[in-house]
Amino acid sequence: MDKQGEAYWKATLGLLTKILAVWFIVSFGAGILFADMLNGIHLGGYPLGFWFAQQGSMYIFVALIFYYAKKMDQIDRKFDVHEE
Amino acid sequence: MDLQTTIYLVVGLSFALYIGIAIWARAGSTSEFYVAGGGVGPRINGMATAADWMSAASFISMAGLISNMGYGGGLFLMGWTGGYVLLALLLAPYLRKFGKFTVPQFIGDRYYSQTASTVAVLCLLVASLTYIIGQMTGVGVAFSRFLGVSNETGIYVGMGIVFTYAVFGGMKGITYTQVAQYVVLIFAYTIPAIFISMQLTGNPIPQLGLGSSLTGQDISLLQKLDQVVVDLGFGQYTTTTAGSTLNMFVYTLSLMIGTAGLPHVIMRFFTVPSVHAARLSAGWALVFIAILYTTAPAVAAMAKTNLIRTLTPGVVMQNADPYAAESQIKYDERPDWMKRWEVTGLLKFEDKNADGRIQYYNDKSKSEEFKAKAEAAGWKGNELSVNADIIVLANPEIALLPNWVIALVAAGGLAAALSTAAGLLLAISSAISHDLVKGVFKPNISEKGELMAGKIAMACSIVVAGYLGLNPPGFAAGTVALAFGIAASSLFPAIMMGIFSKKMNKEGAIAGMLAGLTITLFYVFAHKGLFFIKGTDYLPLIGGPNSFFGITPEAFGAVGAMVNFIVAFVVDKFTKEPPEHIQHLVESVRTPRGAKAVDGRHA
């Protein structure tokens, strides 16, 4: 792979790592491992840990995918590998 | 109009619509048959993916399970949506760039090996068939309940309808039919939820209603529900976990990886015109799925509240004493919906203490305090058993909603089961006709011949699935979880390594897939019997149920996937690197430029 290609792949992996970190923190972190702790805090009538497990993580997942699609478009253009 | 006539009318109209669409969108070429000619936009594709994905399990049973499990039921919600993040980031765009019809084709080309492709076909067939049997059973149950026919007749009717539009329409027909099915099922799910949320909390949006206060009280719905269920000896609704924290963690992970590895879902991303569209399409699919999935926990908690409110009317709204005799309704004065469901046998009452009233509580509670109270009240055991699968279907009846809403829910349940069955059949038929017949046995087959082979394979799988649905080998609930476990432990790691590791070779991938599949099946069969045949389980051999750190067989797919990764890396270290041109292939898959329409030729 040429230099340009390697840099593109590195940028892609960097983005994936960031997004997957958030993915992990909201579901496995806030929704499962730290749910008990977060339940002390309330969001309206929702205990926060319960909210992450049954509502919040899903909203964040949707946002993550659109954020990813947008960022990847930018990366594609920056390294000039986008589709015509 | 009476309830039964309304149901016939609404279900009949929805079916006429699906079949009409299938005829209008008949497939003419293999490309149209498998991937709809690669010309489906991201939003339409996302909607079809959502209908494909949300099966009878999501529509009918998920909210019921959450209703019983409480907080722990969140594992289904996070697991079945979080998988789309993995799919969008790790697989979909790259497989679209690769530009072939099927998952085994990718594995065969990337691992330069017919054997790898054949192993992938095997994994795909096992996963899809186990999944579809559950769907056909679901189709049968739903038809028999709503059309008032026997279970067998229900399955035959379902087989006929799936056959009609899957065989004649192919992917192009299925895609547009699924869009129509999505619209039907999402209205069917949300409309009753909106009504019920209004009744209980005054907030028309169920997602907000679940976090609101009960009408006329200054206590939140969830807090009240927590109190009420604890009073009846159940675990607190908002904190009861699924088994253990570890089990919930692994279970969620299995469902996520399984979602990303299920071939009929992956296939959907071959139908979009570009890599860019593949990324967006995963996002849209999740939007359409999340509309139902974020409503489900509200349906679950509100159904539980309504059920308790029906059985002990003063307890939820007026703080009556749940242990006082007059709090529980008399059996003779029970509402009509209970009578209707008693006929199906899914709701049962047994007057254990012969007082003519219904006591509904957890008689297996370990709390001494609660046991003392129950005894003092003269309760002799739980008297009402409610099958979790009726919660969603009965929900509009419990809330006394109009007939057309109940009929709509019937049509929605059938749409969910049929659309998933059709998508799975397409994955099976393409694996057989394209990867086995064209790839292995008869490479020179004409496009027409291949199309015919695909249709024959589909017809055969419908018959097999229908037969197994008629004679279920003693499993239904475990089936769906197993399909996820298999996809998670076999296909997902092989595809992911094929994209993210240039050096992974065929020996590693094949060994990994076989190891993951074998160990998962071994653990599952230990609990459920060899090939699910009752009485052939071998639990003592593995040291009792859930012997692996308390992990249930449904949650084992993630462990299988880890085994797959580890075995693949070890074998890869001791065998030869993949050839130069494969490493170039991986490089080209990683960049979007040059993505062209999907075609069927082998490289």
Side-chain angles (χ1 to χ4, degrees), chain B residues 373 381 435 446 596:
Chain B
K373 282 186 190 162
D435 302 318
S446 69
K596 45 185 193 329

Side-chain angles (χ1 to χ4, degrees), chain B residues 221-231 236-239:
Chain B
L221 187 146
L222 283 169
Q223 210 178 339
K224 187 76 196 189
L225 184 58
D226 272 348
Q227 279 175 17
V228 174
V229 293
V230 169
D231 278 345
Q236 209 179 32
Y237 190 82
T238 55
T239 54

Side-chain angles (χ1 to χ4, degrees), chain B residues 469-484:
Chain B
L470 282 172
N471 305 287
F475 65 102
T479 321
V480 169
L482 178 74
F484 281 89

Side-chain angles (χ1 to χ4, degrees), chain B residues 193-218:
Chain B
I194 291 170
F195 273 112
I196 292 166
S197 182
M198 278 291 281
Q199 285 177 355
L200 281 174
T201 66
N203 194 324
I205 301 166
Q207 287 85 342
L208 298 178
L210 183 57
S212 303
S213 297
L214 282 168
T215 319
Q217 300 192 38
D218 49 4

Side-chain angles (χ1 to χ4, degrees), chain B residues 247-538:
Chain B
N247 188 57
M248 183 158 167
F249 188 99
V250 181
Y251 205 147
T252 308
L253 188 61
S254 290
L255 294 183
M256 284 186 182
I257 305 178
T259 299
L262 273 181
H264 75 285
V265 178
I266 296 178
M267 247 181 111
R268 306 266 13 162
F269 296 93
F270 302 153
T271 61
V272 294
S274 63
V275 172
H276 166 80
R279 292 176 189 144
L280 274 182
S281 184
W284 283 111
L286 192 55
V287 168
F288 293 121
I289 291 168
I291 295 175
L292 190 145
Y293 271 56
T294 53
T295 309
V299 170
M302 290 174 190
K304 186 104 190 172
T305 311
N306 265 337
L307 181 67
I308 294 172
R309 201 176 138 196
T310 306
L311 299 171
T312 44
V315 170
V316 177
M317 293 310 206
Q318 284 99 28
N319 297 317
D321 173 14
Y323 306 102
E326 19 344 314
S327 293
Q328 301 127 29
I329 58 164
K330 291 200 179 96
Y331 179 68
D332 293 339
E333 292 165 11
R334 68 197 186 284
D336 284 340
W337 67 266
M338 288 180 73
K339 293 177 193 160
R340 283 201 288 272
W341 282 95
E342 274 173 309
V343 179
T344 66
L346 298 170
L347 185 118
K348 284 193 207 98
F349 172 73
E350 186 195 345
D351 197 359
K352 290 182 181 158
N353 62 353
D355 64 351
R357 291 178 184 273
I358 302 173
Q359 278 98 43
Y360 170 71
Y361 69 103
N362 179 17
D363 51 12
K364 291 177 190 69
S365 170
K366 293 204 172 58
S367 155
E368 289 302 328
E369 193 194 339
F370 172 74
K371 278 197 269 190
K373 282 186 190 162
E375 210 183 311
W379 295 356
K380 297 258 165 26
N382 176 38
E383 299 181 341
L384 189 78
S385 64
V386 185
N387 183 309
D389 283 353
I390 76 171
I391 294 285
V392 169
L393 297 177
N395 208 20
E397 302 176 61
I398 299 177
L400 308 173
L401 299 183
N403 281 353
W404 66 269
V405 178
I406 300 171
L408 190 62
V409 172
L414 291 170
L418 288 173
S419 59
T420 305
L424 286 163
L425 282 169
L426 197 74
I428 293 173
S429 105
S430 64
I432 290 177
S433 70
H434 202 75
D435 302 318
L436 277 189
V437 175
K438 192 184 170 77
V440 180
F441 298 117
K442 217 176 156 203
N444 304 325
I445 194 166
S446 69
E447 191 171 288
K448 219 171 166 185
E450 192 193 330
L451 205 56
M452 187 46 74
K455 289 178 177 178
I456 293 171
M458 220 181 228
C460 292
S461 351
I462 292 175
V463 173
V464 171
Y467 172 78
L468 290 169
L470 282 172
N471 305 287
F475 65 102
T479 321
V480 169
L482 178 74
F484 281 89
I486 291 167
S489 62
S490 59
L491 293 169
F492 178 80
I495 305 172
M496 194 189 149
M497 289 184 293
I499 297 161
F500 287 84
S501 159
K502 272 197 273 183
K503 304 280 181 194
M504 181 50 65
N505 61 16
K506 66 172 173 192
E507 289 84 358
I510 294 171
M513 280 192 282
L514 289 174
L517 182 66
T518 313
I519 191 144
T520 307
L521 289 179
F522 177 79
Y523 195 73
V524 172
F525 287 162
H527 290 80
K528 315 258 171 190
L530 271 179
F531 300 99
F532 305 106
I533 297 163
K534 270 187 186 154
T536 57
D537 48 303
Y538 43 92

Side-chain angles (χ1 to χ4, degrees), chain A residues 1 8-9 12-13 16 19-20 23-24 26-28 31-33 35-36 39 43-47 49-50 52-55 57-59 61-62 64-66 68-69 72-73 76 80-84, chain B residues 66 70-71 74 77-78 81-82 84-86 88-89 93-94 207 210-211 220 222 238-239 245 248-249 252-253 256 274-276 279-280 283-284 286-287 293-294 297 500 502 587 590-593 595:
Chain A
M1 207 189 277
Y8 170 74
W9 190 240
T12 306
L13 292 181
L16 296 191
I19 295 177
L20 287 178
W23 166 81
F24 185 86
V26 295
S27 52
F28 293 99
I32 298 177
L33 297 174
D36 277 347
N39 279 340
L43 189 74
Y46 282 112
F50 177 87
F52 268 108
Q54 301 211 344
Q55 293 281 312
S57 52
M58 291 185 278
Y59 299 128
F61 292 155
V62 170
L64 284 178
I65 297 182
F66 283 106
Y68 159 78
M72 276 311 289
D73 275 354
D76 287 352
D80 192 31
V81 293
H82 58 280
E83 296 158 294
E84 287 71 32
Chain B
I66 300 171
Y71 156 76
L77 300 166
M78 289 186 286
T81 55
Y84 275 85
V85 178
L86 296 180
L89 269 62
Y94 305 108
Q207 287 85 342
L210 183 57
S220 80
L222 283 169
T238 55
T239 54
T245 300
M248 183 158 167
F249 188 99
T252 308
L253 188 61
M256 284 186 182
S274 63
V275 172
H276 166 80
R279 292 176 189 144
L280 274 182
W284 283 111
L286 192 55
V287 168
Y293 271 56
T294 53
F500 287 84
K502 272 197 273 183
E587 280 168 23
R590 287 176 180 180
T591 47
R593 175 157 297 167

